[in-house]
Amino acid sequence: MLLDKQLIEDKNKSLLSAHKRSFEFTADGVANLNQVLQKLVAFQIAIPSWALGTGGTRFGRFSGSGEPRNLEEKLSDVGLLHALNQSSGAISLHIPWDIPQDAAAIKALAASYYIKFDAVNSNTFQDQATQEHSYKFGSLQHVDKAVRKQAIDHNIEVIKQGVALGSKALTVWLADGSCFPGQLNFRGAWERTYESLQEIYAALPYDWKVFVEYKAFEPNFYSMSVGDWGQSYLYASKLGPKAYTLVDLGHHLPNTNIEQIVSLLMMENKLAGFHFNDSKYGDDDLTVGSINPYQLFLIFNELVEGMDAKGMNHATDLGWMIDASHNVKDPLEDLLQSIEAIMIAYAQALLVDTKALKEAQAVNDVVRCQEILQTAYRTDVRSLVAQARLLSGGALQPLNLYRQMNIRKELVKERGEKTVATGL
Ligand code: RM4
Ligand code: MN
Ligand code: MN
């Protein structure tokens, strides 16, 4: 389904005068308005190919309708999102959930929606019908060399798929670990994982990166072989300059200070980027900003401060991606909400008076530091984000337009009631 540009423009017209009023009100207090808007226009967040269908838990899955049945339809869904908000111009593929049969054709189709290919993801946490060895007891860490080789080969194959699509990074998330004390020799598991990662690293094209994602627990519940940023950092720093640590917001124990992790990783030039989501307990994969928007703002505050300190390009120097699962919402609506939450947090971070904050920090004026951060956080920046969308041809109100146009209904007509997308 293609969204007509003219239609978006027409819909925007009826909202324009109300938008103008709130935009002018907010814009009045923004010193570097044009710069902020330009940054918002440039900022793009990749959509994971596995999040376009309804997700589930191990207790069940309540599939929605009109879900994409193949990669082509997934691209079309991301195309829809991007047409609406002009901020989701990339897709991240999980292989083998989404294997392009004809890379050139898929690339051309993506280009017709103005979509690029973000990092490609390998999957050694599930057994595929065709594979010889099982990952039940791990993949890159496995005690059996043959299993490790199979997992390494799979990662190299994923790199090849990515090259054909124009991706520039491989994300490795390992479910490896142990469920019970004594099951695994920690050092042995670490060394085997490292050796396997070295082989994958050696297969990276010169302009590629590898992102080592960590996760505190699940599916293993006693130890994870890449369980926190320290372990990931250790792998990444030993592997070399093309290896980075990937932060997935849901992969921490409760109350972890993620913004501090981000700041230090950036300081060491080892932050790969993000998998955005939100959570109350663990890897809940909820809509970004639905539980703890203040934390998201604090993270963006560190990101902006850290990237500026290094003269980095906000839009392109780190990898921005959503990694969420939608069990009770329409996936496309959920993703629109997530993108909006990310843009809002980013816009708020851009409004932080960094000069004043530095001054207040230098004299230990703790009260003023908090005031400065919260002044930015409590600014209603929704009209700034909407203005950026307007400037780039998106919809002033993407979610409302999606509903007004009955897009899901149209997709159900096209794809059917009982369609289940690949993914978790
Ligand atoms: C994991 C992790 C990975 C994602 C899989 C599906 O928890 O977040 O990034 O690829 O889920
Ligand atoms: Mn993730
Ligand atoms: Mn996860």
Side-chain angles (χ1 to χ4, degrees), residues 52 96 119 189 199 228 275 305 316 326 350 408:
L52 294 158
E199 287 195 43
D228 60 20
H275 279 182
E305 197 269 339
T316 52
H326 334 284
L350 291 173
R408 181 57 65 187

Side-chain angles (χ1 to χ4, degrees), residues 119-403:
V120 276
N121 303 261
S122 58
N123 179 341
T124 59
F125 48 87
Q126 287 175 324
D127 285 350
Q128 308 302 325
T130 49
Q131 87 190 43
E132 203 182 333
H133 306 286
S134 171
Y135 295 133
K136 181 170 179 179
F137 296 106
S139 56
L140 298 186
Q141 73 163 23
H142 205 283
V143 286
D144 182 347
K145 196 171 186 331
V147 184
R148 298 203 296 278
K149 181 165 186 323
Q150 178 182 283
I152 293 164
D153 288 348
H154 166 68
N155 275 279
I156 294 173
E157 175 59 29
V158 172
I159 295 173
K160 281 193 191 131
Q161 304 268 7
V163 168
L165 296 170
S167 290
K168 292 281 177 232
L170 166 74
T171 298
V172 180
W173 171 67
L174 297 175
D176 294 20
S178 65
C179 268
F180 297 98
Q183 182 186 332
L184 207 62
N185 176 286
F186 294 142
R187 260 184 296 114
W190 198 95
E191 271 155 16
R192 289 190 297 274
T193 306
Y194 176 52
E195 273 169 29
S196 305
L197 284 172
Q198 275 181 310
E199 287 195 43
I200 296 165
Y201 188 92
L204 290 172
Y206 77 98
D207 56 347
W208 268 56
K209 298 174 177 172
V210 60
F211 299 165
V212 183
E213 183 175 359
Y214 60 89
K215 176 166 168 170
F217 67 93
E218 195 206 19
N220 275 294
F221 293 106
Y222 175 63
S223 73
M224 290 288 278
S225 291
V226 197
D228 60 20
W229 75 281
Q231 293 176 61
S232 166
Y233 177 76
L234 199 57
Y235 289 117
S237 57
K238 287 203 177 210
L239 281 168
K242 291 192 220 161
Y244 296 82
T245 294
L246 184 108
V247 179
D248 181 313
L249 294 187
H251 289 190
H252 304 88
L253 296 174
N255 301 329
T256 301
N257 188 336
I258 303 173
E259 52 272 27
Q260 187 180 16
I261 296 174
V262 167
S263 166
L264 296 183
L265 283 173
M266 265 193 303
M267 180 179 82
E268 292 301 297
N269 294 321
K270 277 296 183 192
L271 180 66
F274 270 85
H275 279 182
F276 290 111
N277 47 51
D278 209 344
S279 62
K280 179 112 183 111
Y281 302 104
D283 193 24
D284 307 348
D285 278 336
L286 299 174
T287 320
V288 184
S290 61
I291 305 282
N292 198 346
Y294 190 48
Q295 181 190 44
L296 186 66
F297 159 74
L298 293 175
I299 291 169
F300 264 102
N301 177 49
E302 293 304 331
L303 284 168
V304 167
E305 197 269 339
M307 287 189 290
D308 287 349
K310 295 211 168 236
M312 289 163 75
N313 180 318
H314 294 187
T316 52
D317 285 352
L318 293 175
W320 309 112
M321 204 183 101
I322 290 174
D323 186 5
S325 174
H326 334 284
N327 302 348
V328 295
K329 287 178 181 169
D330 174 329
L332 292 177
E333 295 195 351
D334 195 326
L335 288 163
L336 286 173
Q337 288 185 311
S338 279
I339 299 281
E340 180 77 4
I342 294 168
M343 296 306 288
I344 286 173
Y346 177 43
Q348 288 167 334
L350 291 173
L351 297 194
V352 172
D353 187 343
T354 38
K355 195 170 156 271
L357 184 60
K358 276 210 178 86
E359 283 164 13
Q361 286 168 344
V363 293
N364 297 311
D365 189 344
V366 186
V367 169
R368 179 132 176 75
C369 291
Q370 179 183 322
E371 289 299 310
I372 290 165
L373 284 190
Q374 294 195 341
T375 296
Y377 177 65
R378 289 178 176 145
T379 307
D380 183 355
V381 297
R382 288 175 298 177
S383 63
L384 296 184
V385 173
Q387 178 69 13
R389 272 197 302 272
L390 192 65
L391 291 173
S392 41
L396 274 172
Q397 296 179 357
L399 186 56
N400 283 351
L401 186 53
Y402 177 87
R403 287 198 164 189

